[in-house]
């Protein structure tokens, strides 16, 4: 399951977390994308978050805090979470940069749910293509 940091302001998230803990769903892994941006501003402006890691721990989750833009950390945390059979649901809080790797999209909440036009798409793909090792 994947959640955004702004989405974690919603009550149904915490109702589901309480249920996951009650039923000891240790095969449930929740990934929180913590990029500090919501649809219309920063999380700090809209609803300043308390530590999501501490909040998930308070709801009975085993929590892993990682750099969500580092695939080595993402895979490592997922491996740990999937193998820990301890009766606790898992939460991976990944600190990320929204639009990472695309110059005109990085840290811009205006790209939430918006598709690029053809020229923007070409530019984004060129920028991303230059960042990855090809096999």
């Amino acid at each position: 399951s994947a959640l955004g940091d702004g989405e974690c302001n919603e009550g149904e998230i915490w109702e589901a977390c309480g249920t996951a803990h009650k039923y000891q769903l240790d095969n449930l892994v929740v990934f929180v994308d913590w990029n500090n941006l919501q649809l219309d501003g920063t999380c700090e402006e809209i609803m300043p978050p308390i530590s999501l890691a501490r909040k998930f721990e308070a709801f009975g989750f085993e929590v892993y805090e990682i750099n969500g833009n580092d695939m080595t950390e993402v895979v490592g945390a997922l491996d740990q979470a999937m193998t820990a059979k301890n009766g606790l649901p898992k939460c991976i809080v990944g600190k990320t940069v929204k639009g990472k790797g695309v110059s005109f999209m990085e840290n811009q909440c205006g790209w939430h749910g918006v598709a690029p036009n053809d020229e923007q798409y070409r530019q984004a793909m060129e920028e991303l293509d230059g960042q990855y090792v090809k096999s």
Side-chain angles (χ1 to χ4, degrees), residues 63-90:
V63 177
Y64 307 86
E65 293 183 84
I66 64 167
N67 173 350
N69 290 119
D70 181 328
M71 286 310 294
T72 302
E73 288 191 36
V74 171
V75 171
L78 282 169
D79 284 346
Q80 282 184 295
M82 298 299 289
T83 58
K85 299 299 177 199
N86 56 7
L88 299 176
K90 315 302 184 287

Side-chain angles (χ1 to χ4, degrees), residues 18-106:
T19 301
H21 181 259
K22 175 183 178 178
Y23 292 105
Q24 299 179 334
L25 301 182
D26 65 0
N27 64 340
L28 174 66
V29 179
V30 175
F31 191 99
V32 178
D33 178 15
W34 188 324
N35 61 30
N36 196 36
L37 291 175
Q38 296 187 29
L39 178 63
D40 50 358
T42 68
C43 291
E44 292 297 327
E45 294 169 329
I46 307 303
M47 180 64 69
I50 61 170
S51 167
L52 288 176
R54 286 186 27 224
K55 194 167 181 179
F56 273 92
E57 285 173 350
F59 274 78
F61 279 64
E62 182 174 313
V63 177
Y64 307 86
E65 293 183 84
I66 64 167
N67 173 350
N69 290 119
D70 181 328
M71 286 310 294
T72 302
E73 288 191 36
V74 171
V75 171
L78 282 169
D79 284 346
Q80 282 184 295
M82 298 299 289
T83 58
K85 299 299 177 199
N86 56 7
L88 299 176
K90 315 302 184 287
C91 178
I92 299 170
V93 177
K95 300 260 178 141
T96 64
V97 174
K98 187 179 192 83
K100 178 85 170 142
V102 178
S103 61
F104 61 92
M105 291 182 173
E106 279 195 17

Side-chain angles (χ1 to χ4, degrees), residues 102-123:
V102 178
S103 61
F104 61 92
M105 291 182 173
E106 279 195 17
N107 285 315
Q108 300 298 313
C109 60
W111 285 99
H112 187 92
V114 175
N117 63 32
D118 290 343
E119 180 55 36
Q120 291 166 328
Y121 174 79
R122 278 191 290 279
Q123 180 182 345

